Amino acid sequence: MAQSKYLTGDSQAINEFIDRFDVFLFDCDGVLWSGDHVFEGVVETLELLRARGKKTIFVTNNSTKSRSQYLEKFAALGIPSVTEEIFGSAYSSAIYISKILKLSPPKNKVFVLGEAGIENELRTENVSFIGGTDPNFRRDITPEDFKGIADGSLLDPEVGCVLAGLDFHVNYLKLSHAYQYLRRGAVFLATNTDSTFPMNHNFFPGAGSVSFPLVNMTGEKPVALGKPSQAMMDAIEGKFQLDRGRTCMVGDRLDTDIRFGIEGRLGGTLAVQTGVNKKADWEAEGAVAVPAFYVDKLNDLLAAAQ
Ligand code: PLP
Ligand code: CA
């Protein structure tokens, strides 16, 4: 089994760790903050890394917010950032659709299962969409819907892609529309497929709970654009021209963050124990991914300055 190096309290090891990298990719929830509570010393830790010339990029699977909404959150929590440094799964989905899928007429619309964050990013990339937060889809299915979906009269012939992210209003009507589009050959995408996400010291259904019913219906898996999908890594690499060998992924979750860094052949991965996974998880038999380094909490890196 691969070994992880524990850095907390070892300022020499922390200095060597920092010197190994030019770029740090930070997961957000569980690393920088928990919900709306920013962890102590996060701002100082980011300042330390920046003062040493490191680039800091924030990579989140939360598709419910766009980059501009995230920027507001960073500002509200007192974390200095610029829009370009934020990379969310809603954004990576939007650029995948516009730059890689390049949907063209007559099938250039996306049917969205998701919140405003996805819609905002699709708008920025000039991608047309239906569904999402539209109240016409946030209601119970009626006998007329069953008829019109079955005969196609209620379907939009221009839809060429279904994008599933976390949708707090997912319902039978939306799933029925999405399923029909997939049956008609629409490309199946997911912003991310997280099983759950942490909130209020507990867990709630993640974006995977929206796309997995469609997997069950179609037998097809979506292309996922969040961590650990390498489509997201490729997009980050393309945008920031990073040297993977000099880049470190910092995260709290083995199945998304640490796997993302390992499969992306980054120079290193650092696990923090302020979120979902703890040391016992990567030391367990059959752990999904083992970080190269770990600390108790992000601000343990501040020991490098002493
Ligand atoms: N998905 C949702 C809806 C969330 O609210 C969160 C965290 O708040 C996540 C995913 C995980 O986000 P991250 O990748 O920043 O840990
Ligand atoms: Ca996280």
Side-chain angles (χ1 to χ4, degrees):
M1 193 185 71
Q3 286 287 314
S4 296
K5 185 167 174 55
Y6 184 48
L7 300 178
T8 296
D10 185 343
S11 57
Q12 190 189 334
I14 292 171
N15 272 309
E16 285 168 11
F17 163 79
I18 294 173
D19 287 344
R20 288 167 80 124
F21 305 106
D22 300 324
V23 181
F24 288 87
L25 303 182
F26 286 97
D27 167 61
C28 297
D29 195 85
V31 175
L32 308 179
W33 61 66
S34 172
D36 289 327
H37 160 72
V38 65
F39 296 133
E40 199 188 318
V42 161
V43 173
E44 291 81 355
T45 309
L46 295 174
E47 278 167 356
L48 169 84
L49 294 174
R50 286 169 176 167
R52 290 207 182 182
K54 313 297 176 184
K55 183 154 189 66
T56 53
I57 300 170
F58 304 99
V59 186
T60 175
N61 266 6
N62 185 353
S63 69
T64 63
K65 287 191 172 72
S66 59
R67 284 164 302 155
S68 52
Q69 288 171 300
Y70 255 102
L71 199 60
E72 285 168 22
K73 174 158 186 166
F74 273 78
L77 295 178
I79 305 174
S81 172
V82 292
T83 328
E84 287 68 35
E85 289 181 308
I86 299 172
F87 214 99
S89 62
Y91 176 56
S92 83
S93 302
I95 57 175
Y96 182 85
I97 291 168
S98 69
K99 305 268 187 319
I100 303 206
L101 269 191
K102 295 185 182 149
L103 294 176
S104 55
K107 295 259 178 212
N108 59 341
K109 275 190 198 163
V110 177
F111 183 79
V112 174
L113 289 136
E115 298 295 327
I118 297 177
E119 296 178 326
N120 291 348
E121 296 292 12
L122 290 176
R123 272 189 212 104
T124 321
E125 289 295 309
N126 289 317
V127 175
S128 316
F129 62 88
I130 60 167
T133 59
D134 181 346
N136 283 327
F137 291 95
R138 291 189 161 176
R139 58 173 177 79
D140 288 345
I141 196 164
T142 64
E144 288 69 40
D145 292 317
F146 276 113
K147 261 197 225 111
I149 293 171
D151 67 20
S153 61
L154 282 177
L155 299 178
D156 186 332
E158 294 180 1
V159 169
C161 172
V162 169
L163 173 61
L166 186 60
D167 187 330
F168 295 118
H169 303 78
V170 66
N171 60 25
Y172 196 85
L173 177 65
K174 281 190 184 178
L175 287 173
S176 301
H177 277 267
Y179 174 51
Q180 287 304 321
Y181 290 125
L182 293 174
R183 289 195 64 179
R184 288 158 187 248
V187 178
F188 186 13
L189 304 181
T191 55
N192 60 309
T193 54
D194 297 24
S195 52
T196 56
F197 71 91
M199 191 162 67
N200 296 343
H201 309 290
N202 207 320
F203 290 92
F204 285 81
S209 57
V210 176
S211 58
F212 276 43
L214 293 164
V215 175
N216 196 33
M217 286 171 235
T218 60
E220 189 195 340
K221 278 193 177 161
V223 173
L225 283 316
K227 300 167 288 183
S229 163
Q230 292 305 311
M232 191 184 216
M233 187 69 84
D234 293 344
I236 295 171
E237 182 181 40
K239 180 162 176 164
F240 298 102
Q241 312 295 322
L242 45 89
D243 173 351
R244 292 192 188 215
R246 299 272 309 162
T247 300
C248 180
M249 176 70 206
V250 184
D252 67 305
R253 197 159 172 145
L254 301 180
D255 64 348
T256 53
D257 307 320
I258 303 304
R259 218 179 126 195
F260 182 62
I262 292 171
E263 291 180 359
R265 300 181 321 282
L266 297 187
T269 51
L270 172 71
V272 299
Q273 301 185 77
T274 44
V276 173
N277 290 123
K278 304 279 151 62
K279 179 181 171 198
D281 298 318
W282 55 84
E283 289 190 341
E285 231 4 76
V288 56
V290 180
F293 302 93
Y294 71 102
V295 287
D296 294 340
K297 53 194 189 324
L298 189 65
N299 76 7
D300 289 346
L301 296 181
L302 285 173
Q306 285 154 17

